[in-house]
Amino acid sequence: MKQVFLIILMAFSVTLLWGQENADTLKHPGFLKRWQMKQNEKEKNGEFLITPVLGPGYTPELGFSLAGGALMSFLTDKNAPSLQRSSVPVTLGISTTGAFFLSSKIATFWNHDKLRINADIWYKNMPDNYFGIGYESGKNTEKSDSTTEYKRNWFQFNPQVFWQFKPTYFVGGAIDINYTHGNDASAGVAGDPAYVEYNDKPFNVGLGVHALIDSRDVAVNAWKGWYLLAQAMFYGKYFGGDNNYQVYNIDARHYIRLFKPGQTLAIQLRGRFSVGDVPYGEMSQLGTPFDLRGYFWGQYRDKDMMFAITEYRHSFYKKNGERSKHGAVIWLAGGTITPDPGFKNFLPNGGIGYRFEVQPRMALRLDFGIGKDTKGFYFNFNEAF
């Protein structure tokens, strides 16, 4: 019943968004037209833009949620019109499970794109489910109030710096500060060896280095180009954290323009590999809003993870030939934790989505993903990757 109600709300949201671009049919078209013209003029002049948004969502781990927030964008140098607009999306919300969450994925461009400063910021205080470590635990552990339930408090602050030393080539470093602590654990969770070992050691601090090749035309919504990232992160008590471990991340993406501008084939291959005394909250996980959408985030976790996504992104066009603000996506994906040669641990995934461009090349994202015996709706800003 909740999902039916959610679909109705999402359809209503899409109808409202569609109506913004067809203001002639509204009772007071003058206001919307003037507002849109003002936004276009601000964008042309490189001024600060802010777009507030409120909408519903449903994910397997949060249940039905209501999320609000704002997409803020700006130019760091108004005299450099070819510079990409920096973006600061902020989303916060509550859910029917009693969860509170806040997130932001910041991307900023400075000094004629010689310097990029990004950051991932997350906070969640929520009733959750912990299935254990490994594919078999995720698959075979029954979800119930006696086997998997607990309350989780999690935050992450992960700023990254990139310096461009030649066109499209970057090097840099990152800091990662994260904290995962559980309480009110059910008998199944309280008896899990990884939970017992690491729950009282929740704080982690890491420093890392990375190299990047990035030829995308626009970072937050690429229509063409490559993104190739190699990163190594080192966490330790010597930085003030509670645990010693390392994480290695490989992320390869390719964006191919197929037809008109905005009609793009996006491909991503990613692997995350960790070694050492890795806490249960820092294991590689699938099912986030940025990979296999539709899975329970955290159900499948282990030291290593790999996945691949192929997504077609379609911009609709008006009768006069102009690109509209509306778009749709469809994707097929698959991934695995604890990779094995026979792909016995393979997790299939697919889905569809709707896009509404709230600022130039920056969209509101509504996705519906399906996995193995699971599904979910996602409400967010900008593309998944």
Side-chain angles (χ1 to χ4, degrees), residues 186-312:
S186 62
V189 175
D192 178 80
Y195 185 87
V196 172
E197 181 177 0
Y198 292 107
N199 195 52
D200 290 332
K201 298 186 290 184
F203 187 64
N204 303 292
V205 180
L207 298 179
V209 294
H210 46 236
L212 171 67
I213 300 174
D214 188 357
S215 63
R216 295 173 297 174
D217 54 343
V218 173
V220 296
N221 181 13
W223 291 350
K224 61 181 181 179
W226 286 89
Y227 177 94
L228 303 171
L229 173 70
Q231 183 185 63
M233 296 290 301
F234 304 90
Y235 300 81
K237 297 177 181 178
Y238 36 83
F239 295 136
D242 293 331
N243 305 287
N244 298 320
Y245 61 100
Q246 303 84 48
V247 175
Y248 304 95
N249 182 41
I250 302 295
D251 191 350
R253 313 175 195 178
H254 189 32
Y255 304 88
I256 306 167
R257 173 177 164 176
L258 295 182
F259 311 109
K260 299 178 180 179
Q263 298 174 352
T264 304
L265 184 67
I267 303 168
Q268 181 183 29
L269 302 173
R270 187 184 168 200
R272 185 183 188 271
F273 312 97
S274 55
V275 295
D277 299 325
V278 188
Y280 71 92
E282 278 295 281
M283 291 284 178
S284 300
Q285 302 176 38
L286 289 170
T288 80
F290 311 101
D291 50 69
L292 304 193
R293 287 151 278 174
Y295 280 94
F296 191 107
W297 188 350
Q299 178 174 355
Y300 293 97
R301 69 178 77 198
D302 208 331
K303 285 189 172 182
D304 301 330
M305 170 273 288
M306 300 175 64
F307 69 81
I309 301 176
T310 299
E311 183 169 288
Y312 174 63

Side-chain angles (χ1 to χ4, degrees), residues 28 45 106 343:
H28 301 292
N45 296 331
I106 300 169
F343 289 95

Side-chain angles (χ1 to χ4, degrees), residues 39 41 69 92 125-126 140 240 257 262 333 358:
Q39 291 291 97
E41 188 66 22
L92 56 90
N125 192 323
M126 59 183 289
N140 298 320
R257 173 177 164 176
V358 293

Side-chain angles (χ1 to χ4, degrees), residues 75 128 132 137 167 169 177 214 268 316 325 372:
L75 275 180
D128 203 359
S137 294
Y169 287 82
I177 301 171
D214 188 357
Q268 181 183 29
F316 293 103
K325 295 180 178 295
K372 184 185 293 185

